[in-house]
Amino acid sequence: MTMKKILAICAHPDDEVLGCGGTLLKHKKNKDQINIIFIFEGSSARYNNRESLVVKKSIKKREKSAIQVAKKLKAKSIRFLNYQNLITDSDLKLKMTKDLSDLIKKINPNIIYTHSSKDLNVDHRSCLESVLIATRPNNHLSLEKLLCFETPSSTEWSHNIFGNFNPTYFVNIDKFIKEKLNLLKYYNYELKKFPYPRSAENIIAQSKLAGSTCGFNHAERFEVIKIFE
């Protein structure tokens, strides 16, 4: 089996596990090369003073968790672009897209996983927009698949305002659901008790729902943006 280069492009640390953690674990088992990029720092929007010490500590905490997860996934690379949440400045958006484009060209992935355009979080949608720009066909990449995952507490909370999440690609994660939950423990400060979407019970329920539509016990589901043959 030929080794594939995998790239998860996420808005914030924890999205890589919530959205495609089981799938990344499957790639690890297949000895594929895993790479992870985080676009935004994921903390500053929660505080009035974005430059405070509390914010800086929160950013470092999430980075530490992401690094621990990456080690468990045996990731070849992990990058934090650390753009500020809810970015609206057009010049910064262009720079962000250029930074991402340079990294994608360097990694030259076969498969990219990223956010859905149906997500409530504007950072998730901005992430996808930058990915689409960076992977335009004239960039001579080795890209075979570009897939969008769902993110609990974002995809379903948009209430279809941005359209329906329409998964047509399913990955069997029967053997990886327990390990996915173990990876989420590194982000335990982002989890809450059921019925909150980011709870262990809901993650399991979501994987069972996805699996039940295709004959698996547990699955992760994706929207297909591009598949090249």
Side-chain angles (χ1 to χ4, degrees), residues 138-154:
N138 60 352
N139 282 332
H140 307 292
L141 297 171
S142 299
L143 189 62
E144 299 170 7
K145 298 176 185 176
L146 175 53
L147 306 170
C148 294
F149 51 73
E150 58 185 329
T151 311
S153 77
S154 183

Side-chain angles (χ1 to χ4, degrees), residues 39 54 176:
I39 305 292
V54 173
F176 307 103

Side-chain angles (χ1 to χ4, degrees), residues 13 41 49 60 66 74 92 118 122 143 147 184 199 210:
E41 32 79 3
N49 182 0
K60 288 298 181 183
K74 295 185 177 179
L92 281 176
K118 316 309 188 303
V122 65
L143 189 62
L147 306 170
L184 275 173
S199 62

Side-chain angles (χ1 to χ4, degrees), residues 134-189:
T135 58
R136 288 177 293 190
N138 60 352
N139 282 332
H140 307 292
L141 297 171
S142 299
L143 189 62
E144 299 170 7
K145 298 176 185 176
L146 175 53
L147 306 170
C148 294
F149 51 73
E150 58 185 329
T151 311
S153 77
S154 183
T155 310
E156 79 280 12
W157 278 1
S158 70
H159 299 291
N160 302 329
I161 290 173
F162 305 107
N164 294 310
F165 181 76
N166 185 31
T168 55
Y169 189 99
F170 296 79
V171 176
N172 185 345
I173 63 165
D174 287 356
K175 296 180 180 179
F176 307 103
I177 184 63
K178 290 182 179 179
E179 198 171 350
K180 174 176 178 173
L181 293 175
N182 285 334
L183 290 181
L184 275 173
K185 290 178 182 178
Y186 289 106
Y187 295 110
N188 60 355
Y189 47 86

